[in-house]
Amino acid sequence: MPWDILSCSISGRQHWPSHKSKMNRDLKYWKEAATVILASGVRNHFVNKNATSTQTCRPPLPVSKQERNLTHSWLETVVFDYTVLMLQRSAKSSFMPHAQVFPGGTINPSDFSNEWIQMFQPFCEPPNFKLGTVRETAKRPPIFAMDRRKLGSEVPGEVAFRLCAIRETFEESGILLVKPNDPDKCLKRQGTIKLTQYDQKELANWRLLVQKDAANFIKLCRELNCIPNIWALKEWSNWLTPTHLGGKRFDTVFFICCLQEIPFTLQDGYETVLYNWMFPSDFIQGYSSGKFFIPPPQWYELGRLCRFLCLQDLQQFSQDRALEGCECWFPICLVASDGLAYLYPGDELYPEDPDYLGAKEKNISSSKTLQQLRLEVTRLHRKEIRDQYITLYVNIEPLYKHVHPIMMNTQLSSHL
């Protein structure tokens, strides 16, 4: 089924929701969501691997390109000059309990509210609020490609999903990614972001109100005379939950945002019970040791971040490829005789017409071993799981001027 048809007509007939909803209620097989990878500078500091405090440390060590393709021997010695925020989901969560995730959540009708049009004046330059036009449109993910005006909203998807990520980040961590409502401030070439300071007691009150009703986020921005800093969020990736897992599924946009310094952070105590600002490598090591449970998309994206030791390099890279776009990644499970492989787009065994709805057989099966299947092809983009080990194999050129993760080989302690 073509993606454009799938986006608007899962049931096989086109019928649009009420204009009051502002959202695509026709996507009954999954929910739309947004998340943001927050990277924050810790210049002349390092983060304690067992806490959220910082201590003085030596500057980052130089690492050769060859060493960057090693896994744990390199991860154990490398030092970054930035940390990444991950939140631990509550044990009571109906989706991925206990998991370490980037802040974010599902879209809300208020994220598509036409009230934002007035709020963002005079930034509302068509077609997408001065965010710029993504170059690759032929394979644009449906989460962005859909014309939301047919659903009653003048807010483009590129804007609404950034609003969602910013709102959810505030709800879950207390971090408010906004800027003063100053139309004269340049938006096109922002470096690392220095957050505007507000009274924490006032923000705590607003946080409760937004958690109670997402529409209060618009009122917050009006009251504080600020606007969500959608320009600080750069498009990074898009993941669709596989069908074989069962239960809830999400079509999630991943953005990335680079901050100058670690802001005041506090878990909400409901959806999130702990927060951690740590090096990307520390999260991967924690996952390997059994300290953390990290879902596959986050594990993959942390591996990508390990290509960048310096925040400035990460910020420049995300800025340079900001308009390259991305494609929707829908992992396919391959069951071999001695383990599992998750195939990603570009792998030689990845199907030309993936079954996004799970109407057919949810897995690909083979009587061959993982090694046999790997040696029979030339293009690899897969994660293999065998004997409590996870190994990433990728030798294809990344699309959209992106990077692949370091070649990770992780021994699991208690995740399977």
Side-chain angles (χ1 to χ4, degrees), residues 213-230:
D213 183 357
N216 284 326
F217 191 53
I218 301 176
K219 296 179 181 179
L220 177 157
C221 292
R222 283 203 182 101
E223 190 72 22
L224 299 183
N225 193 29
C226 62
I227 54 175
N229 195 345
I230 59 174

Side-chain angles (χ1 to χ4, degrees), residues 141-207:
I143 200 169
F144 287 134
M146 173 175 292
D147 186 353
R148 302 287 171 166
R149 290 174 297 182
K150 295 181 178 180
L151 303 175
S153 175
E154 295 297 324
V155 180
E158 285 94 340
V159 174
F161 285 99
R162 283 173 168 84
L163 293 173
C164 172
I166 292 171
R167 174 183 54 76
E168 286 283 348
T169 295
F170 179 60
E171 290 184 33
E172 293 183 339
S173 68
I175 299 172
L176 187 58
L177 301 172
V178 298
K179 63 178 291 297
N181 195 354
D182 181 2
D184 297 325
K185 188 174 180 62
C186 179
L187 303 173
K188 293 185 178 180
R189 297 296 297 182
Q190 295 188 95
T192 54
I193 304 302
K194 183 175 179 61
L195 295 181
T196 303
Q197 298 298 313
Y198 295 97
D199 180 75
Q200 286 300 326
K201 188 174 182 179
E202 183 179 16
L203 286 188
N205 293 332
W206 274 114
R207 188 181 180 189

Side-chain angles (χ1 to χ4, degrees), residues 24 54 99 133 174 180 229 252 263 280 287 373:
N24 187 7
T54 58
T133 302
N229 195 345
T252 306
Y287 176 62
L373 292 167

Side-chain angles (χ1 to χ4, degrees), residues 113-125:
S113 171
N114 288 326
E115 291 185 61
W116 288 114
I117 301 295
Q118 180 181 1
M119 180 72 64
F120 274 88
Q121 291 289 354
F123 299 103
C124 297
E125 182 177 293

